[in-house]
Every structure is written in C-alpha cells, then in structure tokens.
Amino acid sequence: MTTVKSKVTIKGTKEGLVFFMDDTCSFDELLADMREKIEHSHQQILSGPLIRVSIKLGKRYCSPEQQEQLTQIIRTKGNLVIHTIESDLITREEAMAERLKTQFSVQVNTVRSGQVLEFDGDLLLLGDVNPGGTVRSTGSIYVLGHLRGYAHAGISGDSQVIIAAAVMSPTQLRIADVISKPGEEWTNNSGGTEFAYLENEIMLVAKMNYLSRIRPDLGEKKREG
C-alpha cells in the first residue's frame, strides 16, 4: 500500500495554527491539498473563535500572487486570520548582508619569492608582493604596494571580488577560475592604483576611480562590514 505524503500539515500551538507546506511538490498540488484540508478536515479546529495562522513555506519560493492564492483559501474559514508567511529562502538583500559580514585582514609585510600568504575573506596587504610570491584569498585582495607576483582572489569561486594594487605589474592574476597573464595593461604603468575584475568571464583592468561604478557593492561592504 502506497502512502501519499501530505502536502500541507497543520499543527496547533499556543499562538494559533501553523501550516507547514511541502516545498518539493508542485504549487498546484499544494493548492489542492490546502483546499482539501480547509474544506474537509479539522472541522473542530477551523471553527469558533479567531485563530492566528502562520504559514511556513520551507524552501519554496512563492510570488506575492501565489501567496495570495494560499491565503484566500485559508480565509474561507472566517475565524482564521493570517499572521505570518515565512520562507527559509533568503532574498538578494539578505544574501548581500551575509556577504557584508565577511572577514577582513590587514597584513603588514612583504611577500617574498617562494612565500604564500592565504586568507579567508578580504585581504589588505601593506607591502609588496615580489616576483615568485603568492597571495591568495577567498575575498578581494588590496595591495598597497608593488604587486609583481601572483595573486588569486575569490579562490572559493566568488567572481565579484577584485584585485587592486598601487602598482600593478603581476606575473599572473586569477579571479575565481579566470586566469590572466601579463599584457600591455600591466606593463604600461601610467601611475595610480588600478584594479582587476571580471566581466562576462573576462578579466579587465580599470583605474580605482571607476570602482564605485563597476563594483558598487564593495563600497557598501567596507562601510557596513
């Protein structure tokens, strides 16, 4: 005998009722089961004095229109009042807030040939990276000195990070999985801090005064982190 998993589970708490939604079924299946529960089940609970209802969507994303469809079904029972609708999914803003919490390290030294400096988060190096020296970080890398060695930012796959240096003449740069070897943009140093970044999986270089246009979120990160 096959047991059909309930798409909507209703549990009573001291605050009211909690509707737990299956986040693996289709939305149409969810609506059908919701109607079934409201129309034919829990008749003793779904009548009488006003009861607050909390809807738990799990990892399901519901548009405002879909949320309204769910709440309309519940409201057919006049004693049920929607209190909250919660989802375990995070919004883009929440994801950015988490990114703003990333660690930030300040290192004061010169990375010499054969040395490797690695950090989890953003790295500010007050010193040079000599040829043969390596700097690696899960976040962005800022070198307030001469970058002449190897730098790899976003080693965990973050393609929005940057590599910046007061003097940019590296042997090689890498952001996430994209590698760039020295070119004319490195050798023709015209002065001023520059930064490397990815755009459409291509590494580009720009003067630091363009950072706020190209990576505006990095500015927010430094003010709020």
Side-chain angles (χ1 to χ4, degrees), residues 140 153 159-164 168 173-175 178 180 186 194-207 210-211 213-215 218:
S140 295
S159 61
Q160 295 302 302
V161 298
I162 69 168
I163 299 173
M168 184 80 82
L173 294 184
R174 181 172 178 177
I175 297 178
V178 178
S180 177
W186 311 129
E194 297 175 312
F195 69 97
Y197 65 99
L198 296 185
E199 185 174 298
N200 299 323
E201 298 186 357
I202 297 174
M203 192 176 299
L204 301 173
V205 182
K207 293 295 184 182
Y210 289 100
L211 179 61
R213 304 182 198 176
I214 297 171
R215 289 288 186 271
L218 288 179

Side-chain angles (χ1 to χ4, degrees), residues 13-17 45-53 75 77-82:
T13 68
K14 62 181 180 180
E15 288 82 17
L17 296 177
I45 297 176
L46 305 182
S47 62
L50 294 178
I51 301 175
R52 295 202 308 179
V53 172
R75 290 194 187 104
K77 294 295 181 180
N79 67 313
L80 298 185
V81 180
I82 304 298

Side-chain angles (χ1 to χ4, degrees), residues 127-209:
D128 298 332
V129 181
N130 289 346
T134 298
V135 180
R136 304 175 77 243
S137 176
T138 59
S140 295
I141 296 173
Y142 305 87
V143 179
L144 292 189
H146 200 151
L147 175 53
R148 295 180 292 172
Y150 171 74
H152 183 184
I155 58 177
S156 59
D158 189 349
S159 61
Q160 295 302 302
V161 298
I162 69 168
I163 299 173
V167 182
M168 184 80 82
S169 54
T171 54
Q172 188 180 84
L173 294 184
R174 181 172 178 177
I175 297 178
D177 295 325
V178 178
I179 299 173
S180 177
K181 294 183 179 180
E184 290 301 317
E185 66 269 32
W186 311 129
T187 55
N188 292 340
N189 178 46
S190 57
T193 305
E194 297 175 312
F195 69 97
Y197 65 99
L198 296 185
E199 185 174 298
N200 299 323
E201 298 186 357
I202 297 174
M203 192 176 299
L204 301 173
V205 182
K207 293 295 184 182
M208 188 56 74
N209 58 304

Side-chain angles (χ1 to χ4, degrees), residues 14-145:
K14 62 181 180 180
E15 288 82 17
L17 296 177
V18 181
F19 284 60
F20 293 93
M21 307 294 171
D22 183 348
D23 54 16
T24 61
C25 66
S26 70
F27 185 70
D28 287 340
E29 290 177 312
L30 192 68
L31 288 178
D33 198 51
M34 174 73 85
R35 292 191 185 96
E36 176 69 21
K37 290 292 194 304
I38 293 295
E39 293 173 3
H40 304 295
S41 303
H42 303 277
Q43 291 302 317
Q44 292 181 345
I45 297 176
L46 305 182
S47 62
L50 294 178
I51 301 175
R52 295 202 308 179
V53 172
S54 296
I55 299 176
K56 305 284 189 179
L57 297 172
K59 296 186 182 300
R60 175 187 298 275
Y61 170 76
C62 282
S63 66
E65 293 76 16
Q66 290 175 324
Q67 291 184 26
E68 180 62 24
Q69 287 179 271
L70 290 172
T71 57
Q72 281 181 355
I73 295 174
I74 294 175
R75 290 194 187 104
T76 59
K77 294 295 181 180
N79 67 313
L80 298 185
V81 180
I82 304 298
H83 178 54
T84 60
I85 300 177
E86 300 176 6
S87 172
D88 293 336
L89 293 177
I90 63 175
T91 64
R92 182 181 182 278
E93 290 73 20
E94 291 170 330
M96 183 57 65
E98 287 299 314
R99 190 168 185 270
L100 293 175
K101 296 177 183 178
T102 187
Q103 300 180 60
F104 190 89
S105 175
V106 178
Q107 300 289 324
V108 183
N109 63 282
T110 294
V111 181
R112 304 184 186 284
S113 179
Q115 293 182 327
V116 178
L117 180 63
E118 185 168 330
F119 188 74
D120 182 14
D122 289 344
L123 175 63
L124 172 60
L125 176 65
L126 303 181
D128 298 332
V129 181
N130 289 346
T134 298
V135 180
R136 304 175 77 243
S137 176
T138 59
S140 295
I141 296 173
Y142 305 87
V143 179
L144 292 189

